């Protein structure tokens, strides 16, 4: 277990280093000069003193070579110093600290809605005996993935804010202001959860141990809740880790449409004025959140299914189930295990 955790932590550190390096190459080696862009925006078209430009370039370290800038930025980032904003002059860490709680609340509520709605659709489609209802429910996830997020946000604004006045249209005040942007983010996320979980449930229903349980007189509800869901939930759990990154990226659209202050709105403003230190800091913080969530997901696998072989995973970097379990062939990092022990012993 210790070897597996250490391996995952080292892999997470490598991902963070790669995210920092790639973002630095993309941002700091752009042909445009961020200091000149900032001064041009501030001067409203008037000429800028070249000496002032040179002084600002020296202040923010843009007069150094690429390698010196990279090493300097990497060293400061390792100590928690994300630099200073070019547009506001405020520390980047302070700007992100003010924006992150708002987006964390939004993404957290969206994730809860996605799990409840997506999981509910998949479970109901798996449980029902009506082919018509099952087909209708399984048609919803592709529709949720295909609908653009900004269009959903505008539609919700038109109906629930401007026509029925149920929720505020803009702002960060109170829980009510979270509902519409959270629903906007949750619709594509719930569709992804429903698709993956429905596939896992469908494969688990075809397993021999399900026939054994039904033959012993267990009801469909009992088989679904006691055996099928447990064996089908691991791929959906993997998707949840990936969805955190999608929710952070989707917050740019949701916070712009609903005029909310947060992580996404800060990204939009920093990119617009080419505030490179802020964009770099946002990339690093988003990578940290994404890596931590996926690390927690990896550590949760053996808690959900103790038969997962962590010893082999530590050497190969992947979770592995016993050979007989992998033959079930369910998509995802961890395949559907074999029959539960109680059913195997009964058979």
């Amino acid at each position: 277990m210790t070897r597996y955790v250490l391996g995952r932590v080292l892999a997470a550190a490598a991902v963070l280093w790669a995210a920092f390096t790639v973002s630095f190459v993309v941002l700091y080696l752009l042909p445009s000069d961020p200091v000149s862009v900032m001064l041009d925006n501030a001067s409203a078209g008037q000429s800028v003193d070249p000496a002032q430009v040179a002084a600002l370039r020296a202040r923010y370290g843009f007069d150094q070579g690429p390698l010196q800038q990279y090493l300097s930025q990497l060293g400061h980032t390792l100590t928690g110093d994300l630099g200073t904003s070019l547009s506001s002059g405020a520390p980047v860490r302070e700007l992100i600290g003010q924006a992150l709680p708002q987006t964390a609340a939004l993404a957290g509520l969206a994730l809860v809605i996605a799990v409840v709605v997506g999981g509910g659709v998949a479970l109901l489609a798996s449980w029902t005996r009506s082919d018509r209802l099952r087909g209708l429910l399984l048609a919803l996830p592709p529709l949720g993935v295909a609908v653009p997020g900004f269009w959903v946000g505008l539609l919700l604004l038109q109906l629930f804010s401007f026509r029925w006045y149920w929720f505020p249209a803009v702002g960060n005040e109170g829980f009510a202001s979270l509902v519409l942007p959270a629903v906007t983010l949750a619709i594509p996320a719930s569709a992804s959860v429903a698709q993956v979980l429905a596939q896992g449930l469908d494969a688990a229903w075809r397993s021999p141990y399900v026939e054994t349980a039904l033959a012993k007189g267990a009801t469909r509800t009992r088989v679904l809740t006691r055996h099928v869901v447990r064996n089908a939930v691991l791929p959906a759990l993997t998707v949840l880790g990936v969805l955190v990154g999608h929710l952070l990226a989707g917050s740019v659209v949701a916070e712009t449409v609903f005029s909310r202050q947060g992580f996404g709105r800060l990204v939009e403003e920093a990119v617009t004025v080419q505030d490179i230190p802020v964009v770099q800091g946002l990339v690093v913080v988003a990578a940290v959140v994404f890596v931590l969530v996926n690390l927690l997901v990896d550590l949760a696998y053996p808690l959900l299914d103790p038969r997962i072989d962590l010893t082999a995973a530590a050497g190969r970097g992947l979770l592995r189930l016993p050979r007989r379990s992998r033959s079930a062939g369910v998509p995802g990092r961890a395949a559907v295990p074999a029959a539960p022990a109680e059913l195997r012993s009964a058979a």
Side-chain angles (χ1 to χ4, degrees):
M1 182 68 179
T2 304
R3 185 182 176 190
Y4 170 74
V5 173
L6 182 61
R8 301 307 301 167
V9 170
L10 292 177
V15 170
L16 292 177
W17 172 79
F20 174 85
T21 302
V22 172
S23 61
F24 176 86
V25 171
V26 172
L27 293 172
Y28 279 84
L29 298 185
L30 288 175
S32 62
D33 183 0
V35 174
S36 299
V37 172
M38 177 188 65
L39 292 177
D40 289 341
N41 293 332
S43 61
Q46 298 180 0
S47 61
V48 180
D49 185 3
Q52 186 180 5
V53 175
L56 287 175
R57 286 177 57 82
R59 175 183 176 184
Y60 291 107
F62 292 118
D63 58 337
Q64 300 176 349
L67 181 59
Q68 290 177 301
Q69 291 188 51
Y70 172 76
L71 295 176
S72 175
Q73 289 290 335
L74 181 60
H76 285 92
T77 301
L78 290 175
T79 61
D81 181 8
L82 299 177
T84 304
S85 169
L86 295 177
S87 58
S88 66
V92 174
R93 184 172 57 185
E94 181 179 320
L95 294 175
I96 295 177
Q98 294 172 353
L100 196 57
Q102 300 290 340
T103 301
L106 174 61
L109 181 59
L111 190 62
V112 171
I113 296 174
V115 171
V116 173
V117 176
V121 168
L123 289 174
L124 184 56
S126 176
W127 175 81
T128 183
R129 293 178 181 271
S130 171
D131 292 337
R132 181 174 298 179
L133 177 59
R134 175 181 170 81
L136 177 62
L137 291 172
L138 293 182
L140 295 178
L143 181 63
V145 173
V147 175
F150 71 90
W151 183 83
V152 173
L154 293 176
L155 180 63
L156 294 176
L157 273 178
Q158 182 65 33
L159 292 178
F160 295 100
S161 296
F162 300 140
R163 177 169 297 183
W164 297 324
Y165 307 104
W166 289 1
F167 300 101
V170 298
N172 294 47
E173 298 298 329
F175 178 78
S177 65
L178 273 177
V179 175
L180 295 184
V183 172
T184 302
L185 281 177
I187 287 177
S190 62
S192 300
V193 172
Q195 282 183 317
V196 175
L197 185 57
Q199 292 177 0
L201 291 171
D202 185 60
W205 273 113
R206 294 196 298 268
S207 301
Y209 68 84
V210 172
E211 297 180 3
T212 303
L214 293 174
K216 287 170 63 66
T219 63
R220 285 178 59 85
T221 303
R222 180 179 177 83
V223 173
L224 176 65
T225 56
R226 292 289 301 275
H227 307 300
V228 175
V229 170
R230 184 175 181 182
N231 289 334
V233 77
L234 292 183
L237 184 64
T238 304
V239 170
L240 285 181
V242 178
L243 283 180
V244 173
H246 288 281
L247 291 177
L248 287 178
S251 67
V252 177
V253 175
E255 290 175 354
T256 301
V257 170
F258 293 94
S259 297
R260 291 181 54 85
Q261 295 300 320
F263 195 87
R265 193 69 180 276
L266 187 60
V267 171
E268 185 262 337
E269 293 173 353
V271 171
T272 301
V273 299
Q274 295 191 24
D275 197 338
I276 289 180
V278 176
V279 177
Q280 175 86 56
L282 291 168
V283 170
V284 172
V285 172
V288 169
V289 173
F290 185 79
V291 165
L292 288 179
V293 170
N294 281 274
L295 180 61
L296 292 176
V297 169
D298 286 344
L299 296 179
Y301 283 132
L303 300 179
L304 294 175
D305 192 341
R307 291 169 295 179
I308 293 178
D309 188 356
L310 290 183
T311 304
R316 302 182 182 183
L318 292 173
L319 295 174
R320 186 172 70 86
L321 292 171
R323 182 179 300 277
R324 184 176 58 177
S325 304
R326 290 197 301 170
S327 61
V330 174
R333 185 179 300 179
V336 172
E342 57 188 89
L343 293 180
R344 291 203 306 271
S345 60

